[in-house]
Amino acid sequence: MTTPDPVTLSVLDNRFRAIVEEMGEAMLRTTYSQILNSSRDFSIALCDAQARLVAQADHIPVHVGAMPYAVQAVRDAFGETVREGDVYLLNDPYHGGSHLPDLTAIVPVFCQGRLVFWSVVRAHHTDIGGATHGGYNPGATEIWQEGLRIPPILLGRDRTPREDLVRMIATNTRLPREVRGDLMAMIGAAHLGERRLLTVLAKHGAEGTVAAVDAILALSEAHARRIVAGWADGEWLGEAFLDDDGFGGTDIAIRARVTKRGDSLTVDLSESDPQTPGFVNSSYPNMASAVRMAFAFLLDPEVAKNDGCFRPVDIVAKEGTVVWAREGAPVTMCTSHCSNEIVEAVVKALANACPERAMGGWGRRFRVAIKGRDARRPDRPFVWHLFHARPGGGGSSKGDGWSTAGEWHSAGGLKFGSVEMAEARFPLFFAKHEFRPGSAGDGTYRGGLGGELELRLETDGPAVANTAGDGVRYGAAGMLGGRDGAPHHYTLNRADGTSRDLRTKEVGIPLAPGDVLHVRAGGGGGWGPPDKRDPAARARDAAEGLL
């Protein structure tokens, strides 16, 4: 096959990116649940016939690096039986998924009988069954307590999903209407990607398109290797720590021993602590995605984030550790924790090789899921996931961190959405939603501030909450002399005048109308020594009430 000319390669590379962006817009406009159409907890990818990542949209980084494993799981399960018009589905972390709330819909794309692409949509669902509402069970000691587990299945043929399977999935959740609607949106977006790719294939043919993909991936690899070649050679150990596992284990270490030689890296996570009883363990796809995410954060922004871009990195890990749990262990928290800590450990190590590219740590995830009833919709219970008052991003050599940008695993891709829209859709009142003064880690360039929220419940009768997260003991890491960001501090102020701090891993917290959730989110880590910060920048922060 003849490699297309550079202009054609550029056109096709941008065309692939346009397709995934359009698929994302379709998801945004057709999903039912707040977690998708407001907070945008979904991602889009195109893979080639070999399950190599070709293009991704700017959504949730930790999703995308794991999606090729989902495609490979479908290839392994169905092999030569895959045919045009099929749609596949999975969420099993031990068979291509990351964690159970993330369902992945996959559609094969054929040209003249030849499989050429896979159109992939991954979306976090509001509920996935299991012992607790909202998809996170801090009390789980095995994956079967976390929700409905779906290995790769053939969900439909001839571009039509099987109603019996859709009904089975929806029935096993607490919010069947939302789950069904979101699943149909995923399938629709995946078929949209198929249609757009068929247009490309009709113009360039299967052979020409495959040759272009090979060349695009090779160019991305060469670009990434040129950057890595400019970093210092050496071997370094980066460490990051989880607060706890919810079962008495504390200070759980993720250790990344990174070796850089020439234009290649080896990231060895084998020295990480053993897997835990709780849900902070990681599946293999999630662990690999977190390593690739950390690497991508250190590259130039114009490097195409595809399979070629990640070829300079070899990953070594040990099964039975917290970063790669054995099959059957609970892992639902893994896309946040321990993925954030994997990124932090890798960046800490590589700060020695490329200090100008390393950034301070981003804040950690502390999720609250509330289940209750709304007097305005008495026939339909709700589940609301806290995405507001997000933590701050890390500072860097180019400036201060972004305030309330979120966590490392999402890199700003998750949104907290409109306060007014949340109040219209759920029985909640936002009394305060603003920056949390003093939360940012100090440095030559400080971290971004976390958010502060006072949220009053206006439910119809009692409600119940679960928490899932980390970061009340360890804040986002400072880098290269920068200070750590402040940890989280969440308080429940009850209508009866009592109050207590919330732990990051609690099940079945009773709530009553009038109770107030007071969220003080952590800030991002600082970059560089604080004594080198511009006095004018400090004065500006003081004048704006940020200190």
Side-chain angles (χ1 to χ4, degrees), residues 33 125-129 133-134 169-182 371-372 380-385 426:
S33 63
H125 284 246
T126 300
D127 190 79
I128 196 62
H133 67 272
I169 293 167
T171 300
N172 276 279
T173 71
R174 294 168 179 82
L175 301 170
R177 175 183 176 274
E178 285 80 356
V179 169
R180 175 185 285 271
D182 290 342
K371 182 181 74 170
R380 203 165 72 219
F382 73 88
V383 175
W384 182 78
H385 292 265
F426 300 94

Side-chain angles (χ1 to χ4, degrees), residues 261-485:
R261 295 284 184 268
D263 62 0
S264 299
L265 298 169
T266 299
V267 176
D268 188 342
L269 299 169
S270 302
E271 298 172 58
S272 298
D273 280 355
Q275 69 183 63
T276 77
F279 66 172
V280 298
N281 302 301
S282 181
S283 59
Y284 186 93
N286 180 78
M287 175 272 292
S289 184
V291 172
R292 291 167 181 164
M293 177 170 54
F295 177 61
F297 289 165
L298 301 175
L299 299 177
D300 296 347
E302 61 269 19
V303 178
K305 307 306 186 295
N306 56 33
D307 179 85
C309 159
F310 301 121
R311 291 173 185 168
V313 182
D314 289 325
I315 300 171
V316 178
K318 180 181 177 182
E319 190 174 13
T321 59
V322 67
V323 301
W324 180 11
R326 292 188 176 91
E327 182 163 354
V331 295
T332 297
M333 198 65 220
C334 73
T335 54
S336 297
H337 305 289
C338 59
S339 73
N340 266 33
E341 288 69 32
I342 294 171
V343 175
E344 187 171 290
V346 172
V347 172
K348 279 184 176 178
L350 284 173
N352 297 281
C354 53
E356 296 301 309
R357 292 176 179 269
M359 70 296 291
W362 285 50
R364 303 190 175 194
R365 186 78 172 103
F366 189 166
R367 179 188 299 268
V368 179
I370 300 172
K371 182 181 74 170
R373 292 192 173 273
D374 186 344
R376 297 169 296 184
R377 302 172 185 86
D379 59 332
R380 203 165 72 219
F382 73 88
V383 175
W384 182 78
H385 292 265
L386 172 67
F387 282 90
H388 294 75
R390 298 186 67 69
S396 71
S397 63
K398 300 301 182 183
D400 295 342
W402 295 332
S403 293
T404 64
E407 307 83 9
W408 237 331
H409 75 275
S410 60
L414 291 176
K415 313 296 182 184
F416 54 69
S418 161
V419 165
E420 291 79 11
M421 185 62 71
E423 290 176 335
R425 296 177 68 176
F426 300 94
L428 307 168
F429 177 73
F430 289 74
K432 174 191 285 188
H433 192 232
E434 57 190 43
F435 292 153
R436 176 190 176 189
S439 57
D442 201 2
T444 306
Y445 295 103
R446 63 162 172 77
L449 280 76
E452 183 171 6
L453 166 68
E454 291 182 5
L455 180 72
R456 188 173 72 234
L457 268 72
E458 297 183 342
T459 53
D460 182 16
V464 64
N466 298 328
T467 64
D470 208 74
V472 298
R473 296 179 61 230
Y474 289 100
M479 204 66 62
L480 298 163
R483 302 286 188 264
D484 292 353

